[in-house]
Amino acid sequence: MDIKNIQNNLANSRANETYKTQDKAAASQGSTLESNGKPQTDRVTLTSMSAQLRELEKRAASANVSNESRIAELKQAISDGTYKVDAAKIADKLIKTEMLFAKA
């Protein structure tokens, strides 16, 4: 029995396993070719929903919301101690919010 041949056979076997592993990794990465022989590339298609979302974002950014007077009233009521918290109203809205999250 020749020790050199055993070591060579073992090295060749390991090299073949390495190549097989690399081939499997390349195949799993989707390295397929198109009909013209070029590598296939990833594509992204935006739907009309994304265009609507973009339009809504533009509208929201340009909306003129001026509630400074309401904020001033609330600050004054809080500092005076006259601001009243409606616990039932808050609880109802929390429940509605939780129900919306449960549906999603």
Side-chain angles (χ1 to χ4, degrees):
M1 185 178 211
D2 190 8
I3 294 178
K4 288 181 184 177
N5 286 338
I6 291 174
Q7 288 177 343
N8 286 340
N9 288 338
L10 184 61
N12 289 338
S13 172
R14 288 185 179 156
N16 287 337
E17 288 176 14
T18 302
Y19 290 125
K20 288 179 184 177
T21 304
Q22 290 173 350
D23 289 342
K24 286 181 184 176
S28 69
Q29 291 177 354
S31 59
T32 59
L33 299 178
E34 290 182 0
S35 60
N36 61 6
K38 293 182 180 179
Q40 202 173 37
T41 58
D42 293 335
R43 296 180 191 163
V44 176
T45 304
L46 300 178
T47 62
S48 62
M49 183 70 79
S50 65
Q52 290 175 350
L53 180 60
R54 209 171 311 130
E55 179 63 30
L56 288 173
E57 287 175 341
K58 286 179 185 178
R59 286 184 194 175
S62 65
N64 185 10
V65 179
S66 178
N67 53 3
E68 294 166 2
S69 62
R70 176 72 177 140
I71 292 171
E73 288 174 19
L74 290 171
K75 284 183 178 181
Q76 186 63 39
I78 291 170
S79 65
D80 292 346
T82 58
Y83 181 75
K84 301 294 181 203
V85 176
D86 187 354
K89 189 174 182 181
I90 292 172
D92 287 339
K93 289 192 178 192
L94 282 172
I95 291 170
K96 286 180 184 177
T97 302
E98 287 298 320
M99 291 171 76
L100 287 173
F101 285 130
K103 289 180 183 178

